[in-house]
């Protein structure tokens, strides 16, 4: 049976919460990406755009899939070699980044630059997710969180068309 949007939305939010990521932390990444370009930026606006991104079904599906893989890896339920690859967050795997691109895609090309940038700099919550503490696996989640922030930053930029393309 096809799940309703609101059902998926609820589960996606629960998944993020269960994995220790708050929407405020994602909004902080949006703020970090856009503060130089948008004069009247506020945490409230950033949070609005994060919520807007999370209402998209493609985004919800990506959250469900990626986090499920992280959880199964933590529980050692996958077969090798995939189990080890995801558990060790192997740099050459790359499917975590590809999956998260399905979020960035929703808001057009502006998101790609932000996604690449935030993945390199790893501010705030992304640093924590990448620290590989206590046997936690966030191989998919870190890219998903970065992608939600990049998509929300694009959404915010589209709401402020007076800023030039190059600044978005
Ligand atoms: Mg990753």
């Amino acid at each position: 049976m096809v799940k309703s949007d609101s059902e998926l939305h609820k589960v996606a939010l629960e998944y993020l919460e269960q994995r220790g990521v708050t929407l405020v932390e994602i909004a902080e990444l949006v703020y970090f990406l856009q503060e130089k370009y948008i004069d009247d930026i506020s945490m409230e606006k950033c949070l609005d755009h994060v919520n807007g991104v999370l209402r998209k079904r493609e985004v919800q599906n990506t959250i469900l899939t990626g986090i499920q893989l992280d959880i199964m890896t933590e529980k050692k339920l996958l077969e090798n070699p995939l189990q080890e690859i995801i558990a060790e967050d192997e740099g050459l795997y790359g499917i975590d980044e590809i999956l998260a691109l399905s979020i960035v895609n929703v808001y057009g090309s502006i998101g790609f630059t932000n996604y690449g940038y935030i993945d390199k700099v790893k501010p705030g919550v992304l640093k924590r997710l990448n620290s590989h503490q206590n046997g936690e696996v966030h191989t998919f989640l870190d890219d998903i969180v970065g992608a939600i922030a990049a998509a929300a930053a694009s959404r915010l930029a589209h709401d402020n068309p007076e800023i030039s393309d190059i600044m978005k």
Side-chain angles (χ1 to χ4, degrees):
M1 208 182 94
V2 179
K3 301 278 179 231
S4 70
D5 276 14
S6 64
E7 214 174 329
L8 282 183
H9 182 237
K10 188 170 163 270
V11 178
L13 292 181
E14 283 168 4
Y15 262 39
L16 287 174
E17 196 190 344
Q18 186 194 328
R19 304 299 283 171
V21 173
T22 67
L23 301 192
V24 169
E25 283 174 316
I26 306 179
E28 282 166 0
L29 298 177
V30 181
Y31 195 99
F32 168 84
L33 283 169
Q34 293 295 346
E35 64 179 329
K36 285 198 282 293
Y37 312 119
I38 297 171
D39 289 341
D40 60 346
I41 192 168
S42 65
M43 270 300 286
E44 199 186 347
K45 273 188 197 166
C46 293
L47 200 52
D48 278 352
H49 287 282
V50 169
N51 277 310
V53 171
L54 290 168
R55 279 194 292 271
K56 289 274 184 185
R57 201 176 181 100
E58 299 92 323
V59 177
Q60 297 156 2
N61 285 333
T62 304
I63 292 172
L64 260 55
T65 308
I67 291 183
Q68 184 72 223
L69 282 165
D70 280 346
I71 293 173
M72 289 180 77
T73 307
E74 258 177 31
K75 294 182 174 168
K76 302 188 169 57
L77 290 173
L78 302 183
E79 291 181 10
N80 271 328
L82 190 60
Q83 170 68 37
E84 271 177 25
I85 292 171
I86 300 178
E88 284 161 22
D89 199 2
E90 224 174 74
L92 292 176
Y93 176 54
I95 307 300
D96 42 348
E97 281 100 10
I98 300 290
L99 184 74
L101 280 179
S102 61
I103 294 175
V104 182
N105 272 336
V106 176
Y107 292 97
S109 60
I110 295 168
F112 287 97
T113 325
N114 283 328
Y115 179 59
Y117 178 65
I118 211 164
D119 184 48
K120 234 186 180 69
V121 181
K122 297 200 195 310
V125 62
L126 293 181
K127 194 172 178 205
R128 189 182 85 227
L129 291 175
N130 265 284
S131 61
H132 303 118
Q133 284 171 340
N134 323 313
E136 286 176 2
V137 176
H138 297 305
T139 299
F140 282 89
L141 183 58
D142 66 334
D143 300 291
I144 287 172
V145 168
I148 295 169
S154 310
R155 221 172 169 270
L156 182 62
H158 281 297
D159 265 6
N160 295 269
E162 70 284 1
I163 66 172
S164 78
D165 271 356
I166 207 149
M167 289 172 144
K168 291 173 184 169

